[in-house]
Amino acid sequence: MTISLIHHRTEECHHLVCLSCLRQQFQECLRRQLQYREIPAHLTINKEPPYTAQTLATLFAKEVIQVLLYHCPVCKTAVWERPKELRPLMQIMEALNGVIGAPARATLATNIDDDIWAGVFPSSRT
């Protein structure tokens, strides 16, 4: 089984970051923002990660949060735009997997929604 490392580029600072690192950083940013907020008991939302797209949609709908502030894991620049997936880099990584073999361990979190950007950035909220 080969493992493709999915990389994304932040629009603000143009850093290349693997999907796992982005997920981890954004989940931590959200945890820090929710840590001291009053969340109505009827919402039964855990203040600890992992957060799902459904959790975010509920928090926005009930106006518990209006804006999320995320930071680049590399330079800590505020990330306001949805990071872009880099297909060519993924193809290179897959080719390398075929030649030298897959990495010994995968770091990609699997317990988070497939579309990690659903409801996160203004362009993905409808």
Side-chain angles (χ1 to χ4, degrees), residues 45-77:
I45 292 173
N46 190 354
K47 286 192 176 187
E48 295 298 318
Y51 306 105
T52 64
Q54 180 60 44
T55 301
L56 290 175
T58 301
L59 290 172
F60 278 112
K62 300 299 181 183
E63 298 182 353
V64 174
I65 55 176
Q66 282 90 29
V67 176
L68 293 176
L69 180 59
Y70 294 111
H71 296 96
C72 170
V74 177
C75 68
K76 306 302 181 214
T77 295

mmCIF file of all heavy atoms in Angstrom, residues 45-77:
data_model
loop_
_atom_site.group_PDB
_atom_site.id
_atom_site.type_symbol
_atom_site.label_atom_id
_atom_site.label_comp_id
_atom_site.label_asym_id
_atom_site.label_seq_id
_atom_site.Cartn_x
_atom_site.Cartn_y
_atom_site.Cartn_z
ATOM 1 N N ILE A 45 -21.212 20.223 22.447
ATOM 2 C CA ILE A 45 -19.993 20.234 21.643
ATOM 3 C C ILE A 45 -18.803 20.180 22.577
ATOM 4 O O ILE A 45 -18.693 20.966 23.519
ATOM 5 C CB ILE A 45 -19.943 21.500 20.767
ATOM 6 C CG1 ILE A 45 -21.042 21.411 19.710
ATOM 7 C CG2 ILE A 45 -18.582 21.671 20.129
ATOM 8 C CD1 ILE A 45 -21.227 22.649 18.895
ATOM 9 N N ASN A 46 -17.937 19.249 22.320
ATOM 10 C CA ASN A 46 -16.740 19.093 23.112
ATOM 11 C C ASN A 46 -15.783 20.244 22.827
ATOM 12 O O ASN A 46 -15.628 20.659 21.688
ATOM 13 C CB ASN A 46 -16.070 17.756 22.740
ATOM 14 C CG ASN A 46 -14.957 17.392 23.693
ATOM 15 O OD1 ASN A 46 -14.596 18.158 24.572
ATOM 16 N ND2 ASN A 46 -14.426 16.213 23.505
ATOM 17 N N LYS A 47 -15.139 20.755 23.853
ATOM 18 C CA LYS A 47 -14.178 21.836 23.656
ATOM 19 C C LYS A 47 -12.801 21.314 23.259
ATOM 20 O O LYS A 47 -11.865 22.077 23.104
ATOM 21 C CB LYS A 47 -14.061 22.680 24.923
ATOM 22 C CG LYS A 47 -15.253 23.581 25.157
ATOM 23 C CD LYS A 47 -14.972 24.586 26.247
ATOM 24 C CE LYS A 47 -16.122 25.550 26.402
ATOM 25 N NZ LYS A 47 -15.817 26.626 27.337
ATOM 26 N N GLU A 48 -12.665 20.022 23.101
ATOM 27 C CA GLU A 48 -11.386 19.427 22.709
ATOM 28 C C GLU A 48 -11.493 18.823 21.313
ATOM 29 O O GLU A 48 -12.524 18.293 20.941
ATOM 30 C CB GLU A 48 -10.978 18.338 23.704
ATOM 31 C CG GLU A 48 -10.688 18.872 25.096
ATOM 32 C CD GLU A 48 -9.536 19.851 25.136
ATOM 33 O OE1 GLU A 48 -8.511 19.607 24.465
ATOM 34 O OE2 GLU A 48 -9.654 20.874 25.828
ATOM 35 N N PRO A 49 -10.410 18.887 20.526
ATOM 36 C CA PRO A 49 -10.413 18.286 19.183
ATOM 37 C C PRO A 49 -10.571 16.774 19.251
ATOM 38 O O PRO A 49 -10.336 16.200 20.309
ATOM 39 C CB PRO A 49 -9.049 18.661 18.617
ATOM 40 C CG PRO A 49 -8.388 19.560 19.594
ATOM 41 C CD PRO A 49 -9.176 19.542 20.865
ATOM 42 N N PRO A 50 -10.928 16.127 18.163
ATOM 43 C CA PRO A 50 -11.075 16.700 16.826
ATOM 44 C C PRO A 50 -12.445 17.315 16.633
ATOM 45 O O PRO A 50 -13.438 16.831 17.151
ATOM 46 C CB PRO A 50 -10.894 15.495 15.905
ATOM 47 C CG PRO A 50 -11.381 14.340 16.705
ATOM 48 C CD PRO A 50 -11.043 14.666 18.140
ATOM 49 N N TYR A 51 -12.467 18.405 15.872
ATOM 50 C CA TYR A 51 -13.701 19.072 15.498
ATOM 51 C C TYR A 51 -14.044 18.661 14.077
ATOM 52 O O TYR A 51 -13.159 18.497 13.250
ATOM 53 C CB TYR A 51 -13.543 20.590 15.578
ATOM 54 C CG TYR A 51 -13.050 21.053 16.925
ATOM 55 C CD1 TYR A 51 -11.743 21.463 17.083
ATOM 56 C CD2 TYR A 51 -13.881 21.052 18.029
ATOM 57 C CE1 TYR A 51 -11.274 21.879 18.327
ATOM 58 C CE2 TYR A 51 -13.428 21.466 19.270
ATOM 59 C CZ TYR A 51 -12.115 21.881 19.410
ATOM 60 O OH TYR A 51 -11.666 22.280 20.637
ATOM 61 N N THR A 52 -15.309 18.529 13.804
ATOM 62 C CA THR A 52 -15.751 18.122 12.472
ATOM 63 C C THR A 52 -16.390 19.309 11.758
ATOM 64 O O THR A 52 -16.669 20.340 12.369
ATOM 65 C CB THR A 52 -16.789 16.990 12.575
ATOM 66 O OG1 THR A 52 -17.945 17.499 13.245
ATOM 67 C CG2 THR A 52 -16.228 15.785 13.320
ATOM 68 N N ALA A 53 -16.634 19.141 10.470
ATOM 69 C CA ALA A 53 -17.322 20.179 9.702
ATOM 70 C C ALA A 53 -18.710 20.426 10.292
ATOM 71 O O ALA A 53 -19.180 21.564 10.339
ATOM 72 C CB ALA A 53 -17.412 19.772 8.242
ATOM 73 N N GLN A 54 -19.371 19.379 10.760
ATOM 74 C CA GLN A 54 -20.696 19.526 11.377
ATOM 75 C C GLN A 54 -20.613 20.363 12.651
ATOM 76 O O GLN A 54 -21.458 21.216 12.904
ATOM 77 C CB GLN A 54 -21.305 18.157 11.689
ATOM 78 C CG GLN A 54 -22.676 18.238 12.331
ATOM 79 C CD GLN A 54 -23.681 18.950 11.447
ATOM 80 O OE1 GLN A 54 -23.736 18.709 10.244
ATOM 81 N NE2 GLN A 54 -24.465 19.850 12.017
ATOM 82 N N THR A 55 -19.565 20.142 13.454
ATOM 83 C CA THR A 55 -19.367 20.943 14.659
ATOM 84 C C THR A 55 -19.223 22.410 14.303
ATOM 85 O O THR A 55 -19.850 23.277 14.913
ATOM 86 C CB THR A 55 -18.109 20.475 15.427
ATOM 87 O OG1 THR A 55 -18.261 19.110 15.789
ATOM 88 C CG2 THR A 55 -17.877 21.311 16.671
ATOM 89 N N LEU A 56 -18.400 22.695 13.289
ATOM 90 C CA LEU A 56 -18.197 24.082 12.867
ATOM 91 C C LEU A 56 -19.493 24.699 12.366
ATOM 92 O O LEU A 56 -19.811 25.844 12.701
ATOM 93 C CB LEU A 56 -17.125 24.155 11.784
ATOM 94 C CG LEU A 56 -15.705 23.863 12.254
ATOM 95 C CD1 LEU A 56 -14.760 23.840 11.071
ATOM 96 C CD2 LEU A 56 -15.260 24.876 13.276
ATOM 97 N N ALA A 57 -20.238 23.950 11.566
ATOM 98 C CA ALA A 57 -21.504 24.461 11.038
ATOM 99 C C ALA A 57 -22.453 24.815 12.181
ATOM 100 O O ALA A 57 -23.120 25.855 12.151
ATOM 101 C CB ALA A 57 -22.130 23.431 10.107
ATOM 102 N N THR A 58 -22.513 23.978 13.197
ATOM 103 C CA THR A 58 -23.370 24.233 14.354
ATOM 104 C C THR A 58 -22.916 25.470 15.114
ATOM 105 O O THR A 58 -23.725 26.318 15.490
ATOM 106 C CB THR A 58 -23.381 23.014 15.303
ATOM 107 O OG1 THR A 58 -23.854 21.883 14.583
ATOM 108 C CG2 THR A 58 -24.246 23.262 16.520
ATOM 109 N N LEU A 59 -21.609 25.599 15.329
ATOM 110 C CA LEU A 59 -21.080 26.757 16.052
ATOM 111 C C LEU A 59 -21.372 28.058 15.311
ATOM 112 O O LEU A 59 -21.713 29.070 15.932
ATOM 113 C CB LEU A 59 -19.574 26.594 16.275
ATOM 114 C CG LEU A 59 -19.167 25.513 17.273
ATOM 115 C CD1 LEU A 59 -17.661 25.314 17.256
ATOM 116 C CD2 LEU A 59 -19.653 25.852 18.680
ATOM 117 N N PHE A 60 -21.259 28.039 13.980
ATOM 118 C CA PHE A 60 -21.581 29.230 13.189
ATOM 119 C C PHE A 60 -23.085 29.501 13.207
ATOM 120 O O PHE A 60 -23.515 30.642 13.371
ATOM 121 C CB PHE A 60 -21.095 29.089 11.743
ATOM 122 C CG PHE A 60 -19.645 29.425 11.566
ATOM 123 C CD1 PHE A 60 -18.735 28.442 11.248
ATOM 124 C CD2 PHE A 60 -19.192 30.725 11.715
ATOM 125 C CE1 PHE A 60 -17.395 28.741 11.085
ATOM 126 C CE2 PHE A 60 -17.855 31.038 11.556
ATOM 127 C CZ PHE A 60 -16.951 30.049 11.236
ATOM 128 N N ALA A 61 -23.895 28.466 13.031
ATOM 129 C CA ALA A 61 -25.350 28.635 12.983
ATOM 130 C C ALA A 61 -25.892 29.201 14.289
ATOM 131 O O ALA A 61 -26.814 30.026 14.288
ATOM 132 C CB ALA A 61 -26.030 27.312 12.653
ATOM 133 N N LYS A 62 -25.349 28.770 15.409
ATOM 134 C CA LYS A 62 -25.810 29.231 16.720
ATOM 135 C C LYS A 62 -25.064 30.478 17.187
ATOM 136 O O LYS A 62 -25.235 30.921 18.316
ATOM 137 C CB LYS A 62 -25.653 28.118 17.767
ATOM 138 C CG LYS A 62 -26.448 26.872 17.439
ATOM 139 C CD LYS A 62 -27.926 27.153 17.367
ATOM 140 C CE LYS A 62 -28.700 25.890 17.072
ATOM 141 N NZ LYS A 62 -30.119 26.118 16.922
ATOM 142 N N GLU A 63 -24.220 31.024 16.307
ATOM 143 C CA GLU A 63 -23.458 32.246 16.564
ATOM 144 C C GLU A 63 -22.579 32.161 17.801
ATOM 145 O O GLU A 63 -22.343 33.164 18.478
ATOM 146 C CB GLU A 63 -24.380 33.452 16.612
ATOM 147 C CG GLU A 63 -25.092 33.690 15.294
ATOM 148 C CD GLU A 63 -25.976 34.917 15.293
ATOM 149 O OE1 GLU A 63 -26.169 35.540 16.364
ATOM 150 O OE2 GLU A 63 -26.481 35.249 14.211
ATOM 151 N N VAL A 64 -22.098 30.961 18.094
ATOM 152 C CA VAL A 64 -21.105 30.808 19.162
ATOM 153 C C VAL A 64 -19.785 31.389 18.678
ATOM 154 O O VAL A 64 -19.044 31.998 19.435
ATOM 155 C CB VAL A 64 -20.935 29.321 19.552
ATOM 156 C CG1 VAL A 64 -19.809 29.135 20.552
ATOM 157 C CG2 VAL A 64 -22.244 28.785 20.112
ATOM 158 N N ILE A 65 -19.521 31.227 17.387
ATOM 159 C CA ILE A 65 -18.357 31.848 16.749
ATOM 160 C C ILE A 65 -18.823 32.530 15.464
ATOM 161 O O ILE A 65 -19.765 32.082 14.825
ATOM 162 C CB ILE A 65 -17.243 30.820 16.432
ATOM 163 C CG1 ILE A 65 -17.782 29.658 15.594
ATOM 164 C CG2 ILE A 65 -16.563 30.321 17.682
ATOM 165 C CD1 ILE A 65 -16.738 28.651 15.166
ATOM 166 N N GLN A 66 -18.167 33.627 15.136
ATOM 167 C CA GLN A 66 -18.466 34.323 13.888
ATOM 168 C C GLN A 66 -17.283 34.236 12.918
ATOM 169 O O GLN A 66 -17.463 34.236 11.720
ATOM 170 C CB GLN A 66 -18.789 35.800 14.130
ATOM 171 C CG GLN A 66 -20.180 36.032 14.657
ATOM 172 C CD GLN A 66 -20.238 36.009 16.165
ATOM 173 O OE1 GLN A 66 -19.272 36.351 16.828
ATOM 174 N NE2 GLN A 66 -21.358 35.597 16.717
ATOM 175 N N VAL A 67 -16.081 34.211 13.449
ATOM 176 C CA VAL A 67 -14.861 34.182 12.644
ATOM 177 C C VAL A 67 -13.888 33.210 13.283
ATOM 178 O O VAL A 67 -13.775 33.150 14.504
ATOM 179 C CB VAL A 67 -14.206 35.587 12.600
ATOM 180 C CG1 VAL A 67 -12.887 35.551 11.854
ATOM 181 C CG2 VAL A 67 -15.138 36.604 11.980
ATOM 182 N N LEU A 68 -13.207 32.450 12.439
ATOM 183 C CA LEU A 68 -12.150 31.569 12.931
ATOM 184 C C LEU A 68 -10.813 32.148 12.520
ATOM 185 O O LEU A 68 -10.653 32.626 11.398
ATOM 186 C CB LEU A 68 -12.297 30.169 12.338
ATOM 187 C CG LEU A 68 -13.522 29.401 12.793
ATOM 188 C CD1 LEU A 68 -13.606 28.075 12.049
ATOM 189 C CD2 LEU A 68 -13.468 29.155 14.278
ATOM 190 N N LEU A 69 -9.860 32.114 13.409
ATOM 191 C CA LEU A 69 -8.530 32.614 13.110
ATOM 192 C C LEU A 69 -7.558 31.441 13.103
ATOM 193 O O LEU A 69 -7.338 30.802 14.132
ATOM 194 C CB LEU A 69 -8.098 33.649 14.143
ATOM 195 C CG LEU A 69 -6.714 34.247 13.951
ATOM 196 C CD1 LEU A 69 -6.604 34.932 12.584
ATOM 197 C CD2 LEU A 69 -6.398 35.221 15.057
ATOM 198 N N TYR A 70 -7.038 31.150 11.920
ATOM 199 C CA TYR A 70 -6.060 30.081 11.770
ATOM 200 C C TYR A 70 -4.701 30.685 11.443
ATOM 201 O O TYR A 70 -4.622 31.781 10.881
ATOM 202 C CB TYR A 70 -6.467 29.127 10.644
ATOM 203 C CG TYR A 70 -7.719 28.363 10.951
ATOM 204 C CD1 TYR A 70 -8.889 28.619 10.260
ATOM 205 C CD2 TYR A 70 -7.722 27.391 11.933
ATOM 206 C CE1 TYR A 70 -10.044 27.906 10.543
ATOM 207 C CE2 TYR A 70 -8.873 26.679 12.224
ATOM 208 C CZ TYR A 70 -10.026 26.947 11.524
ATOM 209 O OH TYR A 70 -11.160 26.247 11.811
ATOM 210 N N HIS A 71 -3.646 29.947 11.780
ATOM 211 C CA HIS A 71 -2.277 30.389 11.509
ATOM 212 C C HIS A 71 -1.525 29.328 10.731
ATOM 213 O O HIS A 71 -1.746 28.133 10.939
ATOM 214 C CB HIS A 71 -1.540 30.654 12.828
ATOM 215 C CG HIS A 71 -2.128 31.766 13.612
ATOM 216 N ND1 HIS A 71 -3.020 31.550 14.626
ATOM 217 C CD2 HIS A 71 -1.981 33.106 13.516
ATOM 218 C CE1 HIS A 71 -3.389 32.714 15.134
ATOM 219 N NE2 HIS A 71 -2.776 33.672 14.477
ATOM 220 N N CYS A 72 -0.621 29.787 9.884
ATOM 221 C CA CYS A 72 0.261 28.876 9.144
ATOM 222 C C CYS A 72 1.138 28.139 10.156
ATOM 223 O O CYS A 72 1.709 28.764 11.054
ATOM 224 C CB CYS A 72 1.126 29.681 8.171
ATOM 225 S SG CYS A 72 2.445 28.720 7.400
ATOM 226 N N PRO A 73 1.274 26.811 10.019
ATOM 227 C CA PRO A 73 2.120 26.075 10.959
ATOM 228 C C PRO A 73 3.608 26.409 10.816
ATOM 229 O O PRO A 73 4.382 26.159 11.725
ATOM 230 C CB PRO A 73 1.880 24.604 10.608
ATOM 231 C CG PRO A 73 0.890 24.567 9.526
ATOM 232 C CD PRO A 73 0.567 25.946 9.098
ATOM 233 N N VAL A 74 3.991 27.020 9.705
ATOM 234 C CA VAL A 74 5.400 27.334 9.469
ATOM 235 C C VAL A 74 5.777 28.686 10.049
ATOM 236 O O VAL A 74 6.723 28.801 10.820
ATOM 237 C CB VAL A 74 5.738 27.286 7.956
ATOM 238 C CG1 VAL A 74 7.176 27.683 7.697
ATOM 239 C CG2 VAL A 74 5.435 25.910 7.394
ATOM 240 N N CYS A 75 5.007 29.737 9.673
ATOM 241 C CA CYS A 75 5.418 31.095 10.048
ATOM 242 C C CYS A 75 4.424 31.828 10.951
ATOM 243 O O CYS A 75 4.665 32.953 11.343
ATOM 244 C CB CYS A 75 5.672 31.916 8.792
ATOM 245 S SG CYS A 75 4.172 32.252 7.832
ATOM 246 N N LYS A 76 3.287 31.213 11.242
ATOM 247 C CA LYS A 76 2.239 31.779 12.101
ATOM 248 C C LYS A 76 1.488 32.948 11.478
ATOM 249 O O LYS A 76 0.764 33.661 12.152
ATOM 250 C CB LYS A 76 2.789 32.198 13.470
ATOM 251 C CG LYS A 76 3.528 31.097 14.205
ATOM 252 C CD LYS A 76 2.668 29.893 14.422
ATOM 253 C CE LYS A 76 3.434 28.821 15.179
ATOM 254 N NZ LYS A 76 3.089 27.483 14.794
ATOM 255 N N THR A 77 1.621 33.148 10.166
ATOM 256 C CA THR A 77 0.831 34.151 9.459
ATOM 257 C C THR A 77 -0.638 33.735 9.499
ATOM 258 O O THR A 77 -0.950 32.558 9.392
ATOM 259 C CB THR A 77 1.295 34.256 7.986
ATOM 260 O OG1 THR A 77 2.634 34.738 7.967
ATOM 261 C CG2 THR A 77 0.410 35.184 7.178
#
